[in-house]
DNA sequence: GTCTATAATGTGATAGAC
DNA sequence: GTCTATCACATTATAGAC
């Protein structure tokens, strides 16, 4: 049984490093803690990844691709803009329920390094589906012309949508204290309701 | 002229510490850097604040009160709920334009310390205007009954509002890269337009 | 109160045996 | 590939002169 659970060392290290870096950040993480979590000797970390920074970059690269839903088939499909919004929001919030710590991690570490880690930045941008923004722009313009939705700046609309999806996860430690008396299971329940609340909130706002 | 700029040492230290801690976090900050920024000797930091942790707590306490607009007179005044939303959003975004780094700092450091720093936590909760949530609840219920706004969960409404206000500041490093080709001045312009965009977005969604 | 010098510790990284 | 032992350095913190 332990046989099957055994991954090779390099993978065990990366998994442990994800946990620790995501929770403590680059500065707060300790190589010893990563080694303990991976149940290996600290020296092995350096054997496989040379330095803490390189290990961090491997983690960041592996994780940052999840910050935006990769392929947004919805935008290319035949359904109405309202259905597209519903699908996007639901998929995205599902993704965040499965990976709740990623947004705050990525945001924090992106900020931490305005211009450092050039290699990391390239990977990050490469991982992003930047075209998503252009697709949103075209889609919104088209629907305004058709008269399906009211006149609205596509960037504000898009960022409103992202904000309402991401912030409840990134800002959880804050919101849970402000509005949920720090009750964790109540907050989980709240997050599960959210997909349909957010998409209907948006649609109500823009539908003519 | 330097005469007038001189503050007493303790205050200079706190100001410098705010800058450094907000930008680097507790783990990333260096006492030496704080001393340099305050233009004093590193030993003086310990003379006034004893430890790095205590200095950090002084900063966190001084800063965390700004995370929510303190007195929300708007909620108690006579204006319509729509005007209340406009006033809240505009005041809050103005506050964030003046203190753009505070939300991410508070969220990050709150998360960093799920149960550590009990004293810090008490101060944080004390600084919060927790009643604001109850006020929002009553207000929303009242307006739904009056038929001014559609049926909506007050917590989702409130957090939608907070999300759209705060996330563009907390998530700036991310959003600016995704949607603004990392153009900083374009993003500043975007933030200035935001107050009216957000409040009209909300009102359009809930008005009957 | 403010400084210089230094202690005490934590932590990333390497050498070298197996 | 994996371990033990250790280095080299950064960083918080303190002692003590002025």
């Amino acid at each position: 049984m332990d046989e099957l659970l055994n991954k090779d060392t390099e993978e065990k290290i990366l998994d442990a490093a994800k946990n620790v870096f995501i929770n403590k950040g680059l500065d707060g993480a300790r190589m010893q803690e990563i080694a303990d979590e991976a149940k290996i000797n600290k020296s092995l970390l350096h054997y496989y990844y040379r330095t803490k920074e390189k290990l961090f970059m491997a983690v960041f690269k592996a994780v940052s691709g999840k910050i935006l839903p990769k392929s947004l088939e919805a935008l290319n499909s035949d359904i109405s803009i309202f259905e597209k919004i519903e699908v996007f929001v639901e998929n995205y919030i599902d993704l965040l329920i499965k990976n709740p710590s990623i947004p705050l991690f990525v945001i924090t570490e992106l900020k931490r390094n305005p211009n450092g880690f050039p290699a990391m930045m390239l990977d990050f941008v490469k991982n992003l589906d930047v075209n998503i923004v252009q697709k949103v722009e075209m889609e919104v313009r088209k629907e305004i012309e058709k008269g399906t939705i009211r006149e609205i700046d596509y960037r504000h609309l898009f960022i409103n949508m992202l904000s309402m999806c991401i912030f409840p996860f990134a800002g959880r430690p804050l919101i849970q204290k402000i509005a949920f008396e720090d009750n964790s299971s109540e907050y989980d329940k709240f997050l599960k309701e959210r997909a349909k609340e957010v998409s209907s909130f948006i649609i109500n706002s823009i539908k003519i």
Side-chain angles (χ1 to χ4, degrees), chain A:
Chain A
M1 157 176 153
D2 255 24
E3 210 91 7
L4 285 175
L5 289 179
N6 264 349
K7 305 169 236 178
D8 68 323
T9 308
E10 191 166 347
E11 202 183 330
K12 280 199 300 187
I13 292 175
L14 195 65
D15 282 352
K18 274 185 204 169
N19 271 330
V20 177
F21 279 130
I22 286 178
N23 284 312
K24 308 273 177 95
L26 172 56
D27 292 323
R30 294 291 156 250
M31 295 296 267
Q32 186 60 59
E33 189 179 352
I34 295 172
D36 291 346
E37 182 133 343
K39 287 171 184 163
I40 51 116
N41 190 283
K42 183 162 71 93
S43 302
L44 283 184
L45 298 180
H46 292 96
Y47 176 82
Y48 282 100
Y49 290 93
R50 197 75 191 141
T51 68
K52 182 186 185 185
E53 211 172 84
K54 282 183 178 30
L55 177 54
F56 174 83
M57 289 204 263
V59 168
F60 190 89
K61 187 177 168 179
V63 148
S64 63
K66 294 183 182 169
I67 193 65
L68 271 194
K70 220 17 197 180
S71 65
L72 193 59
E73 320 86 12
L75 273 184
N76 295 319
S77 71
D78 240 3
I79 56 182
S80 75
I81 186 170
F82 305 117
E83 286 168 308
K84 287 176 187 175
I85 290 170
E86 280 168 0
V87 171
F88 176 85
V89 169
E90 186 168 339
N91 286 348
Y92 199 14
I93 289 184
D94 276 358
L95 177 72
L96 291 174
I97 284 179
K98 283 168 201 139
N99 304 277
S101 310
I102 289 183
L104 187 51
F105 170 69
V106 172
I107 289 168
T108 308
E109 299 299 335
L110 272 185
K111 179 200 171 190
R112 217 192 142 293
N113 267 295
N115 292 307
F117 297 148
M120 178 177 97
M121 283 310 168
L122 287 177
D123 283 332
F124 174 71
V125 173
K126 216 162 43 183
N127 272 335
L128 284 175
D129 189 356
V130 187
N131 279 333
I132 195 181
V133 181
Q134 293 166 11
K135 285 183 195 165
V136 168
E137 179 178 9
M138 293 194 318
E139 183 79 14
V140 169
R141 283 192 204 284
K142 191 183 72 188
E143 298 295 324
I144 291 175
E145 274 172 32
K146 282 204 297 182
T148 330
I149 64 175
R150 67 178 170 86
E151 187 81 30
I152 186 171
D153 181 324
Y154 77 95
R155 291 172 314 171
H156 285 285
L157 172 57
F158 182 55
I159 283 156
N160 289 346
M161 188 164 68
L162 282 190
S163 299
M164 289 187 282
C165 289
I166 299 178
F167 188 66
F169 293 88
R172 175 166 189 161
L174 175 68
I175 306 175
Q176 191 174 295
K177 281 196 171 54
I178 290 176
F180 290 81
E181 290 164 333
D182 220 357
N183 183 325
S184 183
S185 54
E186 275 293 313
Y187 199 76
D188 283 333
K189 226 166 69 188
F190 172 79
L191 288 176
K192 279 182 205 136
E193 304 163 2
R194 227 175 132 64
K196 59 179 193 309
E197 284 288 337
V198 169
S199 53
S200 78
F201 190 83
I202 297 171
I203 292 168
N204 265 298
S205 180
I206 62 175
K207 195 172 198 168
I208 286 182

